[in-house]
Amino acid sequence: MIQHFRFGSPIRTDSVVQDIPVSSDAVPFLTADADGWVYTMVPDAIVYGLGEMPRGINKRGWHYVANNTDESHHGENKVSYYGAHNFLLIDGGPGGDLFGVFVDFPGKVHYDIGYTVHDTLRFATEEPDYELYILTGADLNDIAHQFRQLIGRSYIPPKWAFGLQQSRWGYKTAEDVREVARQYKENDLPLDMICMDIDYMQDYADFTINKERFPDLAALAAELKAQGIRLVPIIDAGVRIDPEEPTCTEGLEKGYFCKKEDGTPFVAAVWPGKAYFADFLRPEVRAWFGHRYKVLTDCGIEGFWNDMNEPALFYSPDRLKAFLDSMHELRGQDNIVQEEFFARVVGGAMGLMNAPEDYASFYHEVNGQRVRHDKVHNLYGGSMTRAAGEAFADLRPGKRTLLYSRSSIIGSHRYGGIWLGDNHSSWEQLLANIQMMPNVQMCGFLYSGADLCGFANDTTPDLALRWLEFGLFTPLMRNHAAGGTRPQEYYRFADQLPAIRSMLRLRYALLPYLYSTFMQAALEGTSYFRPLGFDFPADPDAREVQDQLLLGDGVMVAPVYTQNASGRHVYLPEPMKLYRIRSVDDCDTELLPAGHHYIRCALNEVLLFIRPGHVVPVAKPASCTAQLDEADLTLWACPDENGKAGCRMYSDDGETSDYAAPEHWKVLELK
Ligand code: GLC
């Protein structure tokens, strides 16, 4: 059951698709005080949710702020990342409370989940106008399913988007891109996409192509597509101020950019220097900006990543000037006392970026009303995704277009996926990736994944391999790195190449299972990844697990995420068949009883656990998704006590939007 409460006059977010009458009953489970809503957690209550946030699957013991933030230093001491995913699922354990909470609000929401007082959960919106939904149901899976019905069907990418994406901020020319494709082929590593970071643009201006470095993008896209590789260019939120550039001049002419109080366009610097910001909250602006992607779809581009759309603001000219003036006053000084040095020099420089004052200095138009940006901040990035998603229906009718974004809000999961932003090459971030996936997907973002190997800092061959051994299960599978870091394309790790090759081939071989699970999750509102506690709510050991995930109906994964480990502790809530995989054709299997195990897992191995009664269909490895032969499948299985096992497999053309036809499904059974 879903109960809907309304407070004040909320701004419409379009996060939900079901029209649920507003209730006049008292809000169950929660009590209100002057600081917001309060709930007392029993000692072993688990709080799931909040999507893209730091810390464990269980969010207890920390505080968080839904405030979409360009956060380049990920870590457990942070309180906000790039997404606003205001859904909580509270499991009070056997016989305890069980309910979901969705705070439908476009501004900041503060959560204190046992941070101040260990057993007390509090949350509060920054304004008094919001919608609140309370969900109850038979169990966690049921409530999660109801929530997905409430917010509408998740975005479905083309099937090739489940292949590998290779990216790096640093492919500067068409030749650099060709070289990546060549190296993947020469090293016999499968690949489906190469991402193009901001260097393909002319002066970092959206919807432009640098003709010197990419003389014929259409020809390059066609040449690579013939090899089964798609190009995936980036589009940033900030539109470069450039009187020669039609996105800038048209947007200005039409009055489509966000404005300051005095009615002039708001300006802040991002990668292209000074930029304007389209008011994506207006439908006509979304339609206009979305149709600008045509410049690239006309070149045969079929996929995009939207970036910097919190929006990130490096500095506004006014604040930069004030800072430089203040530094000017210090000229000639060679002994600044430390308070002044940190507050004025360091703090002054750092404070230029993503400054709250800047977010409070420009306005949107929402249904003809002027609304200050910070009141609706979390809607911005998702609305950019929506702009593109809505336009693709027109630009590429009947076809699926790959789209994922950095910033998001629940609701934008219907238009695109997300990647988890600028993580770094560390073991801790590999664990964070594992722990974020189920919470992000609970909030509808099924097509999601992190920058494999890590974005910032230098990776190592063992981290690259261990991260791949988890990443090969994530729907969005992309290796991406910041400029200046150690090269980390998979062909760079000569000593680990055979193992990397086997793991990449394994991803492709598992696609019949992974794609079927994804399509089931999208079409039926079920889960792709979920915590063990969802299926074993009465098992205290299963509820506590924070580093193993159920994947669809039939699989559990337990990745190794610590350096120099020869294996890991795994908890099995039921007997399962372990496939210890070195390659598709080289795995050993073992039927393990329920309970605690220490399982060895060498650097070149991945652990896959199949649940009783289930089958995982495995294809022959392929060099790209187009080459995948799903006719000749091997069935990996864990028969139940009657010797039976089966699965439902989904297959379609992977390109058109005709996904709902029942004939896409067939049942496979172990003979
Ligand atoms: C941002 C993105 C990152 C990208 C960089 C340059 O930091 O998150 O993925 O490489 O900008 O465009």
Side-chain angles (χ1 to χ4, degrees):
M1 184 175 75
I2 306 182
Q3 285 167 281
H4 175 195
F5 303 91
R6 177 169 297 153
F7 301 93
S9 316
I11 290 171
R12 227 188 126 100
T13 61
D14 288 340
S15 289
V16 309
V17 296
Q18 282 179 350
D19 195 7
I20 300 193
V22 176
S23 166
S24 51
D25 295 347
V27 174
F29 304 107
L30 310 173
T31 52
D33 69 12
D35 298 323
W37 293 100
V38 186
Y39 175 73
T40 304
M41 300 175 285
V42 296
D44 58 359
I46 295 178
V47 180
Y48 297 104
L50 289 187
E52 192 179 7
M53 277 291 181
R55 303 240 165 183
I57 294 175
N58 183 351
K59 306 317 287 183
R60 278 189 77 157
W62 191 241
H63 62 132
Y64 310 88
V65 187
N67 178 34
N68 293 356
T69 301
D70 170 21
E71 176 52 73
S72 56
H73 299 285
H74 292 199
E76 67 170 30
N77 56 339
K78 299 295 160 161
V79 298
S80 305
Y81 283 155
Y82 314 85
H85 305 153
N86 292 303
F87 176 57
L88 294 175
L89 197 36
I90 293 144
D91 170 20
D97 290 343
L98 181 66
F99 64 102
V101 178
F102 175 48
V103 189
D104 185 5
F105 179 67
K108 278 189 203 162
V109 187
H110 296 261
Y111 299 88
D112 178 332
I113 310 183
Y115 170 69
T116 306
V117 178
H118 187 68
D119 69 352
T120 306
L121 182 160
R122 290 184 157 275
F123 64 89
T125 53
E126 227 167 58
E127 302 287 329
D129 308 290
Y130 59 100
E131 319 262 359
L132 184 70
Y133 294 85
I134 303 288
L135 297 89
T136 47
D139 54 35
L140 286 160
N141 281 314
D142 177 35
I143 299 175
H145 176 256
Q146 287 186 58
F147 181 60
R148 299 271 301 291
Q149 306 296 312
L150 177 68
I151 60 174
R153 196 184 69 204
S154 298
Y155 159 76
I156 298 177
K159 188 168 182 183
W160 49 261
F162 291 83
L164 173 70
Q165 312 189 28
Q166 180 59 58
S167 187
R168 180 176 180 82
W169 178 13
Y171 302 150
K172 286 197 167 19
T173 63
E175 213 26 61
D176 289 348
V177 171
R178 284 196 183 95
E179 176 64 11
V180 174
R182 196 155 43 230
Q183 289 285 355
Y184 266 90
K185 285 271 167 308
E186 271 171 20
N187 287 287
D188 192 19
L189 301 172
L191 182 68
D192 265 83
M193 288 151 275
I194 300 176
C195 299
M196 298 165 74
D197 209 315
I198 48 175
D199 295 306
Y200 81 86
M201 299 179 195
Q202 180 66 50
D203 303 319
Y204 307 134
D206 279 341
F207 312 117
T208 65
I209 299 155
N210 182 311
K211 293 283 178 210
E212 245 167 67
R213 291 188 267 127
F214 289 87
D216 191 344
L217 185 62
L220 181 68
E223 172 193 325
L224 290 173
K225 190 170 172 182
Q227 302 171 35
I229 298 171
R230 258 98 175 170
L231 289 174
V232 182
I234 195 170
I235 299 291
D236 279 356
V239 172
R240 179 183 150 88
I241 299 187
D242 181 345
E244 305 293 314
E245 221 312 288
T247 312
C248 171
T249 51
E250 252 181 63
L252 264 189
E253 248 166 58
K254 294 177 193 278
Y256 281 172
F257 297 126
C258 293
K259 298 183 183 68
K260 296 200 288 193
E261 194 157 19
D262 63 7
T264 59
F266 169 74
V267 176
V270 217
W271 299 126
K274 288 202 286 183
Y276 296 134
F277 296 83
D279 186 356
F280 294 120
L281 274 56
R282 291 166 61 187
E284 66 278 22
V285 179
R286 284 202 296 275
W288 165 73
F289 192 88
H291 282 82
R292 303 288 307 152
Y293 286 73
K294 189 169 185 301
V295 171
L296 293 154
T297 54
D298 281 352
C299 296
I301 298 295
E302 299 168 68
F304 298 89
W305 47 311
N306 280 351
D307 191 20
M308 306 296 279
N309 49 358
E310 295 71 31
L313 309 175
F314 292 170
Y315 60 85
S316 63
D318 295 349
R319 287 167 47 73
L320 178 68
K321 182 174 179 315
F323 171 70
L324 294 178
D325 287 350
S326 152
M327 290 304 98
H328 195 74
E329 287 165 16
L330 297 179
R331 267 181 84 137
Q333 292 202 32
D334 65 357
N335 186 12
I336 306 174
V337 292
Q338 55 138 339
E339 287 83 356
E340 193 171 24
F341 174 72
F342 285 111
R344 194 161 163 188
V345 182
V346 179
M350 298 304 290
L352 288 175
M353 283 184 79
N354 305 319
E357 297 86 336
D358 287 335
Y359 289 122
S361 74
F362 64 99
Y363 293 80
H364 296 274
E365 210 180 285
V366 181
N367 300 326
Q369 304 272 6
R370 216 169 67 138
V371 180
R372 208 171 78 190
H373 174 81
D374 56 343
K375 313 270 179 208
V376 286
H377 173 72
N378 290 341
L379 264 181
Y380 192 78
S383 302
M384 180 187 180
T385 306
R386 183 174 177 182
E390 284 171 340
F392 293 154
D394 202 23
L395 294 177
R396 308 187 68 241
K399 289 273 171 113
R400 300 181 219 174
T401 303
L402 171 61
L403 178 62
Y404 53 94
S405 168
R406 192 171 73 174
S407 183
S408 62
I409 187 168
I410 290 176
S412 65
H413 70 285
R414 300 194 297 272
Y415 303 97
I418 54 173
W419 95 100
L420 303 179
D422 296 348
N423 61 7
H424 47 89
S425 301
S426 75
W427 295 86
E428 164 221 312
Q429 288 289 296
L430 164 54
L431 176 61
N433 182 190
I434 298 166
Q435 295 181 322
M436 244 187 270
M437 291 309 294
N439 284 331
V440 155
Q441 293 192 330
M442 221 177 279
C443 297
F445 295 94
L446 292 182
Y447 188 72
S448 47
D451 286 348
L452 303 181
C453 300
F455 173 74
N457 307 120
D458 292 336
T459 200
T460 57
D462 54 346
L463 180 60
L465 190 45
R466 286 300 195 199
W467 210 327
L468 173 59
E469 287 163 6
F470 172 63
L472 71 87
F473 294 109
T474 60
L476 187 165
M477 182 196 194
R478 181 174 83 150
N479 175 339
H480 179 48
T485 59
R486 178 182 190 182
Q488 62 181 40
E489 291 80 9
Y490 284 121
Y491 50 80
R492 305 278 184 173
F493 304 101
D495 64 327
Q496 298 301 338
L497 207 55
I500 284 179
R501 183 179 300 120
S502 295
M503 292 303 146
L504 289 174
R505 290 161 69 91
L506 176 63
R507 157 64 166 219
Y508 283 74
L510 288 175
L511 276 180
Y513 182 79
L514 301 179
Y515 186 60
S516 302
T517 300
F518 185 94
M519 293 307 279
Q520 184 185 344
L523 297 172
E524 297 172 12
T526 55
S527 74
Y528 182 95
F529 282 127
R530 66 194 175 283
L532 268 58
F534 272 46
D535 286 26
F536 302 96
D539 176 343
D541 291 6
R543 291 178 76 237
E544 215 166 291
V545 173
Q546 295 285 303
D547 57 1
Q548 303 169 206
L549 299 175
L550 296 171
L551 198 185
D553 293 334
V555 166
M556 185 185 78
V557 295
V560 175
Y561 55 87
T562 42
Q563 192 161 29
N564 302 322
S566 58
R568 54 160 290 168
H569 167 260
V570 177
Y571 177 66
L572 299 189
E574 61 184 353
M576 292 187 195
K577 184 137 150 214
L578 163 65
Y579 279 72
R580 187 186 283 99
I581 308 164
R582 284 168 292 280
S583 77
V584 178
D585 318 301
D586 179 15
C587 30
D588 45 68
T589 65
E590 196 180 341
L591 192 61
L592 293 170
H596 293 269
H597 301 267
Y598 187 84
I599 303 203
R600 299 226 162 258
C601 180
L603 193 53
N604 65 340
E605 293 176 331
V606 66
L607 306 174
L608 179 93
F609 298 84
I610 304 186
R611 299 178 64 182
H614 290 278
V615 156
V616 174
V618 181
K620 299 271 168 295
S623 61
C624 61
T625 47
Q627 301 290 327
L628 204 64
D629 174 8
E630 295 190 338
D632 183 11
L633 297 170
T634 305
L635 303 187
W636 291 355
C638 176
D640 63 15
E641 63 261 27
N642 303 315
K644 291 198 182 325
C647 72
R648 285 167 71 210
M649 186 175 138
Y650 181 96
S651 50
D652 63 3
D653 64 17
E655 299 240 15
T656 62
S657 309
D658 163 39
Y659 7 73
E663 48 284 10
H664 293 321
W665 291 102
K666 67 175 178 223
V667 172
L668 300 179
E669 273 169 350
L670 196 65
K671 293 278 167 351

